[in-house]
């Protein structure tokens, strides 16, 4: 049997943890496959889609191609269609099908960190990651507040309008990121504030943080952002983004070959991926 071929595509792609994570998942499932990295510019995308991507058994997609790929695919999963974003493609029997693993990866990461999506959930930011998180939190019955800067308010208002159109009776509001206060069941950072190399920054004040029961930060580099470290020092249940990255990859493999994994193997992979990131 020929070795299967997979890759992650983006531009610029830079250093990525995807090969390390996916190669381990292939080993765990016993699938003979190799996983590469492809830097494809927007201007070359349509040409490379035919010449490079179609022959692959599957691939992951990152910025800026998550929407660009959609019109080129034969099929798109319902969840990917709702979000208007594809980050995983399966090529099988000449048919290419797009999926998004962001929602399921997010939900799995919170589940295994015992972080609830209920009560008052404050999401920092209103970009692509925040959009996914807001949809999923509302679908779980949470009361969502998008905490944004004034410069992003119009973008947040557009997201609220979209959610109102797509979901039934959503509980969602917008607040200024510097003004929200009070008790928060779960605080989610979906901004790049605190990401390496600017890891000395924190998106909220210590006073705001002290009112939170749980904290999730989508950033995985550094492994523990200043926000996560401070939350833990206050005795708050807190989790960084590495587990979300790994669980997104797990869901990709389910789409590619139906593989399932033992939770302990995934927990070890999260730890090993964290160690690999530290080495880098």
């Amino acid at each position: 049997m020929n070795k299967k071929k997979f890759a992650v595509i983006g531009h610029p792609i830079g250093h990525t943890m995807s090969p390390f994570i996916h190669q381990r998942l292939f080993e765990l499932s016993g699938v003979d496959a190799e996983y590469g990295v492809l830097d494809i510019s927007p201007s070359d995308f349509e040409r490379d889609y035919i010449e490079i991507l179609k022959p692959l058994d599957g691939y992951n997609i990152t910025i800026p191609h998550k929407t660009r790929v959609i019109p080129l695919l034969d099929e798109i999963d319902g969840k990917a269609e709702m979000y208007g974003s594809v980050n995983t493609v399966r090529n099988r029997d000449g048919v290419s099908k797009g999926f998004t693993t962001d929602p399921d990866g997010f939900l799995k990461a919170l589940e295994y960190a015992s972080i609830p999506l209920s009560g008052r959930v404050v999401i920092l930011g209103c970009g692509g990651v925040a959009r996914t998180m807001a949809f999923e939190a509302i679908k779980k019955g949470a009361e969502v507040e998008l905490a944004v800067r004034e410069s992003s308010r119009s973008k947040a208002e557009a997201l609220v309008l979209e959610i109102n159109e797509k979901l039934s009776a959503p509980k969602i509001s917008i607040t200024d990121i510097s003004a929200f206060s009070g008790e928060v069941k779960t605080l989610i950072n979906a901004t790049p504030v605190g990401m390496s190399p600017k890891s000395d920054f924190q998106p909220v004040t210590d006073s705001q943080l002290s009112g939170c029961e749980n904290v999730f930060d989508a950033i995985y580099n550094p492994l523990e952002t200043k926000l996560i470290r401070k939350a833990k020092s206050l005795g708050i249940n807190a989790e960084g983004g590495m587990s979300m990255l790994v669980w997104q990859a797990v869901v990709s493999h389910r789409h590619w070959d139906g593989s399932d994994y033992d939770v302990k193997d995934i927990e070890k992979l999260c730890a090993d991926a964290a160690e690999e990131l530290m080495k880098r």
Side-chain angles (χ1 to χ4, degrees):
M1 181 179 289
N2 293 331
K3 184 185 288 284
K4 297 191 175 205
K5 294 185 178 181
F6 298 83
V8 58
I9 69 167
H11 181 77
I13 194 70
H15 298 290
T16 171
M17 290 295 296
S18 291
F20 179 89
I21 294 169
H22 285 282
Q23 207 63 58
R24 174 70 68 82
L25 290 172
F26 283 126
E27 292 169 5
L28 287 170
S29 61
V31 175
D32 186 18
E34 60 184 41
Y35 190 98
V37 178
L38 297 171
D39 190 322
I40 299 177
S41 70
S43 60
D44 295 333
F45 188 79
E46 289 196 26
R47 181 201 67 196
D48 288 350
Y49 176 80
I50 300 297
E51 297 179 4
I52 298 175
L53 301 180
K54 284 286 281 184
L56 296 175
D57 293 283
Y59 50 95
N60 296 117
I61 306 166
T62 187
I63 295 170
H65 302 312
K66 288 186 175 185
T67 57
R68 183 173 284 108
V69 72
I70 291 175
L72 302 176
L73 299 172
D74 298 310
E75 299 177 5
I76 183 171
D77 174 73
K79 190 170 287 189
E81 184 174 15
M82 186 187 81
Y83 281 109
S85 176
V86 166
N87 73 347
T88 298
V89 173
R90 180 185 69 206
N91 290 329
R92 181 183 295 169
D93 301 323
V95 176
S96 57
K97 184 171 183 177
F99 305 86
T100 177
T101 67
D102 290 339
D104 292 332
F106 168 61
L107 293 175
K108 279 290 187 183
L110 263 61
E111 177 185 345
Y112 286 93
S114 298
I115 296 178
L117 281 177
S118 60
R120 185 185 178 203
V121 174
V122 174
I123 300 175
L124 309 179
C126 58
V129 174
R131 179 170 173 267
T132 296
M133 294 169 167
F135 265 97
E136 295 304 317
I138 290 168
K139 286 161 66 177
K140 290 288 186 180
E143 298 180 12
V144 172
E145 287 181 37
L146 298 176
V148 300
R149 302 188 187 282
E150 187 58 36
S151 59
S152 298
R153 180 168 284 272
S154 60
K155 187 175 181 180
E157 289 172 348
L159 175 55
V160 169
L161 181 62
E162 180 189 4
I163 289 174
N164 275 302
E165 290 174 346
K166 291 185 176 180
L167 298 181
S168 175
K171 296 178 180 179
I172 184 166
S173 60
I174 302 171
T175 188
D176 190 281
I177 198 168
S178 63
F180 87 84
S181 61
E183 295 183 2
V184 176
K185 189 71 174 180
T186 298
L187 176 71
I188 299 172
N189 181 34
T191 78
V193 178
M195 183 184 295
S196 182
K198 298 181 179 180
S199 54
D200 290 335
F201 294 92
Q202 185 174 298
V204 296
T205 66
D206 289 354
S207 176
Q208 288 173 309
L209 186 57
S210 66
C212 303
E213 291 185 33
N214 304 273
V215 173
F216 180 78
D217 197 332
I219 293 171
Y220 67 85
N221 186 11
L223 289 170
E224 284 198 347
T225 59
K226 185 177 181 181
L227 177 68
I228 294 297
R229 293 197 308 273
K230 175 60 72 170
K232 288 183 175 180
S233 75
L234 294 171
I236 298 168
N237 180 34
E239 178 75 13
M242 180 59 78
S243 60
M244 179 174 167
L245 186 70
V246 172
W247 279 108
Q248 286 172 330
V250 169
V251 179
S252 289
H253 284 248
R254 288 175 181 164
H255 291 311
W256 287 335
D257 49 46
S259 295
D260 206 359
Y261 301 89
D262 186 274
V263 171
K264 291 190 179 299
D265 286 334
I266 302 306
E267 289 174 348
K268 186 174 189 312
L269 176 52
C270 288
D272 291 347
E275 185 177 336
E276 177 68 15
L277 182 63
M278 292 292 287
K279 289 178 183 177
R280 296 184 184 187

